[in-house]
Amino acid sequence: MMKASFKARYEPDKATGATTFAVNTGDFKLRATMTDATVVNGPSLNGLALAIEKPGFFIIDYNVPKKDFRFQFMNTVRVAEKPLNLTYIHSKGDERTILDGTLALDSANKVSANHVFATGNTKLKYTYLHSGITTFEPSYDLGKNTWDFAVSQRVYGDDVFKATYQSSSKNLGLEWSRSSKLNGSFKILASVNLAEERKMPKLCAETTWDFVM
């Protein structure tokens, strides 16, 4: 079975798009992604990426024009009878290695940590799901000594409203997203930098359509 996904992003000064084709072959999934740079001005390798994935175990991505590999390995272990999801990511081109871990304390509480090796950058995040519809996510960046906050509310089943604030950049963001198997998914984002003298909001819209062939 083959699945195709088309994603478009619209901003006031530009519009971009990407198409992904995925094929299931038993335990593995093969994926190819092309951006608009692949087809504009004739077919080319620009924006072309290939991947092989075993869901829940590993993903190997290959950026064709950059000839760059990205390895991602996933595993789950139990700590005090709680599931700890670990993800190890290594990008060969920039020699960047990331370790990400999420510990589910119960159905409503999770703690996670993200560490970038050789940089000392570490982020900690706590996630609390209230009544199954409201999510609070405070996070702390040890390298920058700053806090970020996010709160999201699910309404009418498919709609989610989210607000974020990044204390390091003084950036406030608002987001409205909807996910539907019949009508596709879309996301509308607005952000404003409170540190700027002219607080002009930035707008962006994204839409995604999935097809089964």
Side-chain angles (χ1 to χ4, degrees):
M1 181 176 62
M2 175 181 288
K3 295 183 178 180
S5 175
F6 174 75
K7 182 178 181 179
R9 181 181 177 93
Y10 311 91
E11 297 180 52
D13 56 344
K14 65 178 179 179
T16 59
T19 303
T20 300
F21 297 94
V23 180
N24 288 322
T25 59
D27 293 336
F28 297 91
K29 180 185 295 184
L30 305 178
R31 186 172 66 249
T33 301
M34 299 178 293
T35 68
D36 48 3
T38 311
V39 295
V40 172
N41 299 324
S44 69
L45 297 179
N46 294 328
L48 178 62
L50 306 175
I52 179 172
E53 174 184 359
K54 185 175 183 180
F57 291 91
F58 69 82
I59 303 174
I60 301 175
D61 291 289
Y62 180 61
N63 188 309
V64 177
K66 294 182 179 180
K67 299 180 180 179
D68 185 18
F69 282 96
R70 179 178 179 270
F71 303 92
Q72 179 173 322
F73 300 95
M74 299 85 80
N75 194 13
T76 299
V77 297
R78 302 196 72 84
V79 177
E81 300 303 317
K82 308 293 183 181
L84 173 61
N85 298 319
L86 297 171
T87 302
Y88 173 88
I89 302 171
H90 178 71
S91 298
K92 188 175 183 299
D94 55 9
E95 294 297 330
R96 193 165 184 247
T97 302
I98 301 172
L99 180 62
D100 190 272
T102 300
L103 178 65
L105 303 177
D106 52 42
S107 60
N109 296 273
K110 293 189 297 185
V111 292
S112 58
N114 178 281
H115 177 71
V116 182
F117 288 87
T119 66
N121 292 339
T122 301
K123 294 182 180 180
L124 304 175
K125 183 171 69 173
Y126 170 67
T127 302
Y128 170 62
L129 178 62
H130 179 69
S131 299
I133 57 174
T134 306
T135 303
F136 300 92
E137 291 182 312
S139 59
Y140 178 64
D141 190 319
L142 276 69
K144 297 179 180 179
N145 191 27
T146 57
W147 286 89
D148 295 338
F149 300 91
V151 58
S152 59
Q153 175 81 24
R154 180 174 295 277
V155 295
Y156 304 119
D158 295 331
D159 293 71
V160 176
F161 292 91
K162 184 177 183 179
T164 60
Y165 179 69
Q166 298 174 332
S167 60
S168 59
S169 60
K170 301 296 190 296
N171 199 63
L172 176 65
L174 298 175
E175 176 186 308
W176 171 31
S177 62
R178 174 180 292 176
S179 179
S180 172
K181 293 182 179 180
L182 296 177
N183 301 316
S185 306
F186 73 83
K187 184 185 297 183
I188 298 176
L189 308 96
S191 63
V192 60
N193 193 310
L194 302 180
E196 294 180 352
E197 186 174 340
R198 296 183 60 190
K199 298 177 176 59
M200 297 295 294
K202 298 179 181 179
L203 300 176
C204 174
E206 295 180 357
T207 181
T208 303
W209 293 88
D210 297 316
F211 308 92
V212 178
M213 296 176 285

